[in-house]
Amino acid sequence: MSVFLYAFYSINWLLVFLFALACYLFSFIVIQLRAEKFIYKRVKKIYDDLTLLESASLTRGSITTDMGTLTKEIDRFARDKKLEIETLKVREKYRKEFLGNISHELKTPLFTVQGYILTLLDGAIDDKNIRKKYLERANKGVERLSYIVKDLDMITKLEIGDLSLNIEVFDIVELVNNVFDMFEMRAHKKNITLTFDTDYRTPILVNADKERIQQVLANLFVNSIKYGREKGTTEISIENLIKNKVIVRVTDNGEGIEKRHLPRLFERFFRVDKTGNRKVGGSGLGLSIVKHIIEAHDEKIYVESEFGVGSEFSFTLEKAK
């Protein structure tokens, strides 16, 4: 105001307004440039160096000095990174458990075979009866190792898509009857009845790999018989789900599974029994193989169970046109 009074001896409000506007624009540009250089760009460099934010994620073009927007962006990426870290922690826990389980599964038959062979080498081989008995037991240990390696190889091929499926049209009712025949003697030992929920008089045709679906049913039957109760029942039902899908249900009235174990039931070597008891045998990979085979068909598998009541495993298949 002093400058204007000295120059013009009066106040010219237009010139005052123009001068104020020029000062504002000049100040805004200077502050904006300085904020871009010393605030936002430095914050960006810090997060780039820490790899918290991916460089491609930051907005290209003009840089905003809106700290609220910047804070929201940082919070969003921080939440994403936190979720990734938690996921990695869970996977690391599963990885450690998996390594421990596979070590245990392989170690048991290996030590068994080694023990029998060492006993024979120490002189027991001269006794014909002991020699035959120990060789038979060692052979069982080798067979168990073979099952584990074969099942792991199959799961790996299924996961990487290296195992080709032979899709064909077949009668799922006939296939179930064949699997019934396979396990009739094993079920009879525990007085378990293998049955359909109803009399299927007409064929139900599906599109799938017949050999792999037979393997799925076999694994589910094995589990049902293993953990089934004496004089129990394993029941099969085949129902229309939607126009082009059927759902196959395998239901038993055995031990059942606690709900807390259900999410991890299809993991490799995961066992509900944490005591390490292996009296029921098997490779510990059956349900994992079942899941991978069904998913290789682009289908879904489900499980419902109540502890002390029984379990139901079900999977979908595509109906033949």
Side-chain angles (χ1 to χ4, degrees):
M1 293 297 291
S2 300
V3 171
F4 279 105
L5 289 172
Y6 178 78
F8 299 103
Y9 302 102
S10 63
I11 297 177
N12 187 326
W13 292 107
L14 178 61
L15 292 176
V16 171
F17 175 76
L18 292 175
F19 179 73
L21 181 63
C23 290
Y24 171 78
L25 292 175
F26 177 77
S27 301
F28 178 83
I29 292 172
V30 170
I31 294 172
Q32 175 74 7
L33 291 174
R34 302 303 290 176
E36 288 179 357
K37 184 174 182 180
F38 291 102
I39 299 178
Y40 190 85
K41 287 185 178 179
R42 289 191 177 185
V43 171
K44 177 180 180 298
K45 185 177 184 304
I46 290 171
Y47 281 100
D48 284 344
D49 292 342
L50 295 175
T51 66
L52 179 61
L53 297 179
E54 300 173 1
S55 57
S57 302
L58 293 172
T59 307
R60 296 184 179 276
S62 60
I63 301 175
T64 178
T65 56
D66 182 2
M67 296 306 293
T69 302
L70 180 59
T71 301
K72 289 180 181 178
E73 188 175 355
I74 293 172
D75 287 343
R76 177 169 58 84
F77 280 100
R79 285 194 300 270
D80 292 342
K81 295 302 177 182
K82 183 179 180 181
L83 181 61
E84 289 181 18
I85 291 171
E86 293 298 327
T87 303
L88 289 174
K89 287 181 178 178
V90 172
R91 289 179 178 176
E92 176 66 10
K93 179 183 176 183
Y94 287 170
R95 184 188 69 83
K96 289 179 179 179
E97 288 186 6
F98 170 71
L99 290 176
N101 286 331
I102 194 172
S103 173
H104 183 89
E105 295 289 345
L106 295 176
K107 179 177 65 177
T108 302
L110 275 174
F111 284 177
T112 300
V113 173
Q114 184 183 39
Y116 288 129
I117 291 176
L118 288 175
T119 303
L120 291 173
L121 290 174
D122 286 342
I125 195 171
D126 297 328
D127 188 319
K128 184 178 179 180
N129 293 329
I130 293 178
R131 179 175 64 208
K132 182 179 180 182
K133 181 172 66 174
Y134 279 19
L135 286 174
E136 287 176 350
R137 291 179 179 178
N139 183 60
K140 289 182 180 179
V142 173
E143 286 181 353
R144 178 169 172 77
L145 281 172
S146 177
Y147 291 149
I148 294 173
V149 172
K150 183 180 68 175
D151 287 349
L152 279 172
D153 180 62
M154 176 177 292
I155 290 176
T156 302
K157 288 181 178 179
L158 285 166
E159 285 181 341
I160 65 177
D162 194 34
L163 187 66
S164 59
L165 298 176
N166 181 27
I167 304 299
E168 58 180 307
V169 177
F170 63 91
D171 180 11
I172 186 66
V173 177
E174 180 184 358
L175 183 64
V176 171
N177 276 316
N178 292 339
V179 180
F180 277 166
D181 293 339
M182 290 170 54
F183 292 95
E184 182 179 6
M185 293 302 296
R186 188 180 298 189
H188 181 70
K189 290 180 180 179
K190 292 185 69 174
N191 292 320
I192 292 177
T193 303
L194 304 177
T195 182
F196 282 104
D197 66 320
T198 187
D199 186 13
Y200 293 94
R201 298 182 179 276
T202 58
I204 300 177
L205 303 180
V206 297
N207 279 320
D209 187 318
K210 185 175 181 180
E211 182 180 349
R212 299 302 175 198
I213 297 303
Q214 178 173 302
Q215 189 175 6
V216 167
L217 289 168
N219 282 331
L220 293 179
F221 278 22
V222 165
N223 276 358
S224 179
I225 294 170
K226 277 182 187 177
Y227 303 106
R229 64 182 61 181
E230 292 283 344
K231 299 181 181 180
T233 302
T234 296
E235 183 181 88
I236 305 296
S237 65
I238 306 167
E239 307 168 12
N240 289 319
L241 188 61
I242 54 177
K243 183 177 181 181
N244 64 332
K245 298 283 185 182
V246 295
I247 185 166
V248 181
R249 304 182 190 275
V250 181
T251 308
D252 65 58
N253 57 353
E255 297 178 8
I257 306 162
E258 296 181 41
K259 288 185 178 180
R260 61 191 177 95
H261 295 308
L262 293 180
R264 300 189 57 190
L265 201 59
F266 294 101
E267 291 179 20
R268 301 178 187 181
F269 297 116
F270 177 76
R271 292 180 185 270
V272 173
D273 181 11
K274 297 299 182 181
T275 64
N277 186 6
R278 297 296 186 268
K279 66 180 180 180
V280 293
S283 67
L285 296 167
L287 288 180
S288 183
I289 290 175
V290 165
K291 176 177 179 289
H292 281 88
I293 290 176
I294 296 301
E295 289 182 348
H297 284 79
D298 293 325
E299 300 294 344
K300 301 290 185 182
I301 184 165
Y302 309 94
V303 58
E304 294 181 10
S305 185
E306 185 175 347
F307 187 68
V309 177
S311 304
E312 178 183 283
F313 289 85
S314 57
F315 59 92
T316 59
L317 290 175
E318 180 183 352
K319 290 177 66 175
K321 297 180 181 179

